[in-house]
Amino acid sequence: MAGNRTFTMIKPDAVRNGHIGAILNKICEGGFRIVAMKYTKLTAEKAGAFYAVHKERPFYQELVDFMSSGPIVAAVLEKDNAVEDFRKLIGATNPAEAEAGTIRALYATSIGENAVHGADSDENALIEGSFHFSQTEMF
Ligand code: CMP
């Protein structure tokens, strides 16, 4: 059964380019409820740990450098079928392939600097949400 929570980050490129408000608006209009949210900055160590699953990929160091290059917004979101519906809302990883109107089509600049992260499974949504928030910070 599909779970009802997902995890997202508004990435440093979108923050730098002034898109926090517009992206949060799309998320709320998309029917997601905010369960937890914070404006923060990842150290390289934390970014490396968050993306450890990609350690062997050629883009790993670039990803870690980018994700620790400036502030982000991290959030846990709630909606029926959250993981799949959120991935539809944000569009393909590569903004050049993202459907028109999706968050990445509107605000991402490249596959590396792609404006937002969305968990890819219920299991990872739980792991990633717990990476950033304790149970007492989720409402
Ligand atoms: P995200 O959904 O946060 O999950 C892993 C990230 O790795 C992905 O978004 C992209 O930002 C990044 N990524 C994936 N493929 C590449 C690539 N070929 N080059 C650079 N970054 C990539």
Side-chain angles (χ1 to χ4, degrees):
M1 199 186 84
N4 65 348
R5 284 190 179 181
T6 191
F7 173 78
T8 186
M9 291 183 286
I10 301 177
K11 298 188 179 186
D13 59 324
V15 173
R16 266 194 287 273
N17 294 329
H19 297 314
I20 293 177
I23 291 172
L24 289 178
N25 201 38
K26 292 280 284 181
I27 289 172
C28 293
E29 280 178 350
F32 292 86
R33 187 181 78 77
I34 295 166
V35 173
M37 183 163 70
K38 71 177 152 197
Y39 184 61
T40 186
K41 187 168 183 283
L42 297 175
T43 60
E45 196 179 17
K46 269 204 122 180
F50 183 88
Y51 281 114
V53 63
H54 295 304
K55 218 174 194 150
E56 305 307 324
R57 305 280 194 98
F59 57 81
Y60 177 69
Q61 192 56 50
E62 186 188 323
L63 179 60
V64 170
D65 291 345
F66 167 61
M67 287 303 295
S68 55
S69 69
I72 61 158
V73 176
V76 174
L77 305 172
E78 195 168 83
K79 182 186 185 295
D80 286 348
N81 203 33
V83 166
E84 195 186 332
D85 284 2
F86 192 72
R87 287 174 75 79
K88 271 189 207 143
L89 182 72
I90 66 178
T93 304
N94 184 350
E97 291 162 13
E99 209 174 300
T102 59
I103 291 174
R104 283 172 171 154
L106 289 167
Y107 304 116
T109 44
S110 67
I111 191 167
E113 305 203 358
N114 63 354
V116 282
H117 166 79
D120 64 2
S121 66
D122 290 342
E123 188 191 2
N124 284 337
L126 195 61
I127 293 168
E128 293 173 3
S130 307
F131 185 93
H132 287 271
F133 301 98
S134 64
Q135 277 306 317
T136 57
E137 292 174 303
M138 298 195 204
F139 306 104

